[in-house]
DNA sequence: GCCCCCCAAATGACCGGACAACCACCCGCC
DNA sequence: GGCGGGTGGTTGTCCGGTCATTTGGGGGGC
């Protein structure tokens, strides 16, 4: 029987750090479905890739940071199953949390076209006359409205999205699947507002219920590619954060109480 | 010339990792205003703390992740001021940000007494019949109302506070000065609400203006000692956060635009 | 068959070293 | 005064180790 994995070559003359090459290779293999049950151990990687343990640990450290794997003493590393659930901001965590609670999510598409928008274009660093991909949706959880979402996307990257069906999947999942786009940074601004009458009707809100307005810019590398305004029902959304000296402010999104 | 800083001791018998102790110490010194112009280099820290460069780098790595410092080849690390106070929670950063903008802050004391409160007592892990120290204040910035604040505090620790004057200083500053209490952890929950008529009057809010409700529990060690409900004018407060893969979600509080 | 103890294996926490790439600054030259 | 090149200092990238702590499972005793 041949060894399951022969030695693997990394390019030592490249300017790309070894740990980075190692990480890329591991991510590729992970996505390709290798390591279905067991992620290789550090010493194993040292032998296969012929690098020092420090280098392996540096690669694994980054992967851990991105939530791709999880490791702790005594146990070998565990590949994080399924989707890459890295830090994607508050909005993303909201939907994730709802899913974790077993709440069925879907969205109604209201508009999907190309149109110009001065403010959005400016946020994306494009000319005001550029036709942006525009998606307007109403998000529902267990058939109750949760949020009203409008997104303006970079037209070249988002073109494939106009033909898709978002009823049961998220924008980001589809975007990655159809165009390979995965955001890796951004900015969010969250404020409290009183919804207008129309908004209240759309979201089936009672009078005297407030809402959160989330303005969001998503970046791919250092280029903004998404501008998004989401109005979330106040009664179904709140920020929750833990802070501790010596640790960062860990935000968490809580659904309806 | 004597070295500016003598050697510093870390507890090698502790179960807390050296890099963690080092990080904590550096954060403390950073907060205390040391390193006003130059953050110490790696080799310098190696000598001062008598640890290996790996240990230093591990500590700095964590600080980098939390956005406390920034470093790159060739240049020495740069401290990112202000991030530390963000890690004390959103409310704290709000007041700090206002101060940084040169807005004069003061507060009007509405109530300062001892009273029972079932919910607050439960949050503090005390019997519902315990008489808690209660402070109710209206916070103003440039003589305009910003927030209405109610705080229930652990009676033994907060007793000295009842005699003090909070007009021009913050609760935490006074608490530390009079009783040596400095919170080092906690939890915040932020949601959007429509203020009642009374609240609107108190905060001089227009109709159709929403507010943020911040419920906060502050811990001293692992014991909750503060429960606080703050109502902040929506038009003068919003969350702003940067996120980036591999970095933590950095919240920042923006004042009125 | 069940439980407990012990041990192999894994990662975490440390230490030591060397070289490379890069930046800021000073100095000399024009 | 401005421009260019050297040079020292700093962080990034790698290598080599050792010991501690934790986990999970196998084996022995009952």
């Amino acid at each position: 029987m041949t060894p399951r994995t022969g030695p693997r070559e990394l390019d030592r003359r490249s300017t790309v750090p070894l740990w980075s090459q190692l990480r890329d290779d591991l991510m590729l293999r992970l996505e390709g479905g290798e390591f279905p049950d067991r992620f290789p151990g550090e010493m194993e990687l040292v032998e296969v890739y012929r690098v020092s343990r420090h280098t392996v640990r540096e690669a694994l450290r980054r992967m851990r940071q991105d939530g791709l794997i999880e490791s702790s003493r005594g146990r070998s590393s565990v590949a994080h199953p399924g989707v890459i659930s890295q830090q994607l901001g508050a909005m993303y965590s909201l939907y994730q949390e709802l899913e974790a609670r077993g709440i069925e999510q879907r969205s109604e598409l209201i508009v999907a076209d190309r149109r110009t928008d001065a403010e959005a274009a400016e946020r994306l660093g494009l000319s005001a006359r550029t036709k942006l991909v525009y998606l307007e949706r109403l998000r529902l959880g267990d058939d109750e409205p949760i949020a009203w979402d409008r997104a303006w996307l970079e037209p070249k990257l988002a073109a494939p999205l106009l033909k898709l069906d978002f009823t049961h999947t998220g924008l980001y999942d589809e975007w990655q699947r159809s165009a390979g786009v995965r955001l890796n940074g951004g900015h969010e601004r969250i404020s409290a507002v009183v919804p207008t009458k129309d908004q209240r009707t759309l979201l089936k809100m009672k009078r005297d219920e407030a809402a959160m307005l989330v303005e969001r810019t998503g970046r791919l590398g250092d280029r903004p590619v998404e501008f998004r305004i989401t109005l979330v029902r106040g009664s179904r959304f709140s920020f929750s954060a833990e802070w501790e000296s010596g640790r960062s402010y860990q935000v968490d999104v809580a659904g309806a109480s």
Side-chain angles (χ1 to χ4, degrees), chain A:
Chain A
M1 181 177 169
T2 53
R4 264 176 308 190
T5 56
R8 293 214 151 214
E9 291 292 332
L10 299 178
D11 183 4
R12 274 169 190 278
R13 289 175 320 171
S14 162
T15 57
V16 178
L18 280 178
W19 61 260
S20 181
Q21 296 179 45
L22 173 54
R23 170 170 131 283
D24 291 346
D25 195 51
L26 285 174
M27 281 175 66
L28 222 60
R29 295 174 71 185
L30 206 53
E31 259 173 90
E34 297 192 49
F35 326 131
D37 34 67
R38 206 185 70 89
F39 192 81
E42 291 178 0
M43 292 317 290
E44 204 171 323
L45 293 170
V46 165
E47 282 177 26
V48 172
Y49 287 92
R50 308 288 172 135
V51 292
S52 80
R53 191 173 163 220
H54 284 306
T55 307
V56 169
R57 283 180 69 79
E58 181 66 32
L60 296 184
R61 178 154 35 226
R62 306 288 176 136
M63 294 177 69
R64 222 168 5 242
Q65 257 178 53
D66 291 347
L68 291 166
I69 58 169
E70 206 179 283
S71 32
S72 61
R73 238 176 196 156
R75 279 180 15 249
S76 58
S77 291
V78 180
H80 217 269
V83 197
I84 303 119
S85 68
Q86 50 179 314
Q87 193 77 266
L88 287 174
M91 283 317 296
Y92 195 83
S93 3
L94 171 64
Y95 303 129
Q96 241 189 358
E97 217 238 85
L98 292 177
E99 191 180 318
R101 289 211 211 170
I103 292 173
E104 198 198 342
Q105 295 180 64
R106 62 185 182 86
S107 42
E108 283 173 12
L109 192 62
I110 302 174
V111 182
D113 65 6
R114 287 163 194 271
R115 57 174 68 178
T116 58
D117 184 283
E119 191 194 350
E122 198 197 321
R123 305 262 192 161
L124 298 180
L126 299 171
S127 145
R129 290 187 310 277
T130 313
K131 284 206 167 185
L132 308 170
V133 169
Y134 175 71
L135 293 174
E136 183 176 339
R137 293 173 302 162
L138 182 68
R139 303 205 58 141
L140 306 134
D142 278 348
D143 285 326
E144 276 232 14
I146 295 176
W148 176 51
D149 190 282
R150 287 175 295 161
W152 291 264
L153 308 171
E154 209 282 329
K156 286 189 192 103
L157 292 170
L161 291 177
L162 284 174
K163 304 192 197 85
L164 296 176
D165 172 30
F166 291 109
T167 312
H168 287 100
T169 57
L171 170 58
Y172 296 129
D173 292 339
E174 286 300 343
W175 209 356
Q176 177 169 9
R177 205 163 310 159
S178 64
V181 172
R182 201 171 91 200
L183 304 187
N184 54 7
H187 183 267
E188 282 178 350
R189 186 191 157 98
I190 300 169
S191 47
V193 294
V194 175
T196 65
K197 203 170 172 184
D198 288 348
Q199 292 167 347
R200 226 167 37 219
T201 309
L202 185 68
L203 289 171
K204 292 192 187 154
M205 292 170 73
K206 285 186 291 239
R207 201 193 311 275
D208 289 346
E209 193 179 332
M212 293 254 199
L213 186 71
V214 183
E215 288 172 281
R216 174 186 169 110
T217 308
R219 286 197 315 270
L220 179 64
D222 54 2
R223 219 169 87 239
V225 296
E226 166 205 36
F227 176 62
R228 194 164 171 172
I229 296 182
T230 310
L231 188 74
V232 192
R233 285 181 59 173
S235 62
R236 306 204 64 177
F237 179 75
S238 76
F239 255 123
S240 189
E242 274 289 320
W243 54 277
E244 191 157 4
S245 69
R247 285 253 300 286
S248 58
Y249 193 70
Q250 305 220 335
V251 177
D252 199 6
V253 179
S257 51

